[in-house]
Amino acid sequence: MTSTLSQRTYTVDEYLAQEIASQDRHEYRQGEIVLMAGGTPNHNQITLNLAGSLNFGLRRQPYRVFIADQRLWISDRRIYTYPDVMVVGQPIELQEGRKDTVTNPIVIAEVLSQSTRSYDKDEKFAAYRSIPNFREYLLIDQYNAHIEHYTKTEGQAWLFREYDGLEATVSFQSFEFSLSLADLYDKVDFAQAEVQVESDLEPS
């Protein structure tokens, strides 16, 4: 779940000054500052499993794997955000004048929640597509063993694949790496996820 800090419009400098001093993480969306809520245990487990597997699988290769707290600047859309997992090609490109904000991810993965699902699939994906280096996007369901995988092909065309069930394996196109959904969802409690969904759907 996310909530807007206030109705006023903030400059980039105001956002960064607040973000550095804050204990919470916020997105910046064209002048709005939006609080990012904490994840569920399943959300965190999936993020950890993916980032850990990528980090080990890409060892001694010219890529860096970042998780959750690494800020990304999308200049064309004037958005700061924190993807769940990013793979960035080396050398890392940082926002001009900053040492804490990257700009050149080639792979991004988001673990979907009920409150962010539509935003991650639509507006956020559209913003990510404006990044020149960006080539692969994974949308990972935390309630079922399911992945939506988008891969950039020629021009502005994107190829879409779906993976279902723990027997499936997702293969990346930007580098040689594959991961079984059984490993991605290791220690994920789908029964607890069902309880969470029911709780999220209950009227407040």
Side-chain angles (χ1 to χ4, degrees):
M1 185 176 181
T2 58
S3 59
T4 304
L5 194 61
S6 78
Q7 296 301 313
R8 63 162 286 197
T9 298
Y10 293 82
T11 67
V12 164
D13 289 339
E14 287 174 327
Y15 161 76
L16 290 170
Q18 291 190 31
E19 192 69 355
I20 291 169
S22 176
Q23 294 183 352
D24 299 316
R25 291 184 297 125
H26 302 80
E27 284 192 348
Y28 178 85
R29 304 176 187 171
Q30 301 175 340
E32 289 188 350
I33 296 179
V34 181
L35 174 66
M36 300 181 68
T40 63
N42 281 350
H43 185 289
N44 282 277
Q45 186 67 59
I46 294 166
T47 301
L48 178 63
N49 290 347
L50 176 59
S53 296
L54 281 166
N55 193 53
F56 183 77
L58 297 176
R59 63 195 184 283
R60 294 187 293 278
Q61 296 188 48
Y63 304 102
R64 295 282 300 277
V65 180
F66 295 106
I67 188 168
D69 287 334
Q70 177 57 61
R71 187 163 56 242
L72 168 67
W73 168 239
I74 308 173
S75 60
D76 282 1
R77 302 301 175 94
R78 295 184 60 76
I79 291 174
Y80 285 102
T81 188
Y82 297 84
D84 288 325
V85 178
M86 284 190 291
V87 181
V88 177
Q90 292 184 303
I92 296 171
E93 296 176 12
L94 299 173
Q95 183 186 8
E96 185 176 355
R98 302 207 62 83
K99 298 180 179 179
D100 56 2
T101 307
V102 303
T103 62
N104 65 320
I106 58 175
V107 175
I108 294 175
E110 297 285 6
V111 180
L112 300 177
S113 65
Q114 294 296 322
S115 59
T116 64
R117 181 184 299 269
S118 295
Y119 176 61
D120 287 343
K121 287 188 174 185
D122 298 325
E123 295 176 63
K124 205 169 193 180
F125 186 22
Y128 287 156
R129 292 198 303 270
S130 72
I131 301 170
N133 305 74
F134 180 57
R135 299 201 295 268
E136 285 188 74
Y137 191 39
L138 277 76
L139 293 166
I140 305 171
D141 199 317
Q142 65 172 299
Y143 309 105
N144 299 282
H146 177 77
I147 296 176
E148 297 180 11
H149 184 194
Y150 296 86
T151 305
K152 190 172 184 180
T153 57
E154 297 181 3
Q156 299 302 312
W158 288 79
L159 178 66
F160 171 66
R161 296 182 178 87
E162 284 186 285
Y163 303 87
D164 284 292
L166 297 178
E167 298 78 18
T169 296
V170 56
S171 297
F172 290 74
Q173 304 301 309
S174 300
F175 36 73
E176 189 174 343
F177 179 78
S178 296
L179 179 65
S180 71
L181 270 65
D183 288 338
L184 177 65
Y185 286 98
D186 182 47
K187 299 184 178 70
V188 171
D189 184 351
F190 289 119
Q192 182 60 42
E194 291 179 5
V195 172
Q196 182 64 43
V197 170
E198 292 174 0
S199 175
D200 291 342
L201 293 176
E202 288 178 358
S204 55

